[in-house]
Amino acid sequence: MFRLRHAEASFHGDLAQPWNWIYKADILAQDPNWYKKNVWATGPFKFVEYVRGSHWVAKKDPDYWDKGKPYLDGSRDLHHQRLGAVAAPRRARP
């Protein structure tokens, strides 16, 4: 819960920014650097694996509040340092 001293019109928008994260205070009290090696999420997917420079894997969250969603069982996102590495196979097709 947030208790603001004054009304702030941009508050909701500020929370929605992808670079603003909210962590549990007790976790950060135990380890202030917890966020550097852990993922905190409450969405439709749960973190499975991250390999730097390679990929990020997530699986469907069985406890997600909106039953029946997400429609995907999981996701594997590939990362490349150079955009050309991703685009080259598409350019090679006739």
Side-chain angles (χ1 to χ4, degrees), residues 4-87:
L4 303 176
R5 290 185 182 167
H6 309 285
E8 179 60 56
S10 66
F11 184 67
H12 286 152
D14 291 341
L15 289 178
Q17 299 301 322
W19 51 82
N20 291 334
W21 296 90
I22 300 172
Y23 296 103
K24 292 177 73 174
D26 58 337
I27 290 175
L28 293 179
Q30 291 176 13
D31 181 4
N33 295 309
W34 180 89
Y35 67 93
K36 291 180 180 179
K37 293 194 176 194
N38 295 279
V39 176
W40 181 263
T42 58
F45 295 97
K46 289 189 173 188
F47 173 76
V48 174
E49 176 185 43
Y50 170 69
V51 177
R52 186 178 182 145
S54 176
H55 63 274
W56 197 98
V57 179
K59 69 177 180 178
K60 184 176 187 174
D61 182 354
D63 301 321
Y64 187 54
W65 66 272
D66 195 355
K67 297 300 177 197
K69 293 182 183 173
Y71 300 118
L72 299 174
D73 291 331
S75 172
R76 180 181 176 101
D77 303 315
L78 303 177
H79 300 276
H80 293 279
Q81 295 295 326
R82 296 182 2 225
L83 182 57
V86 176

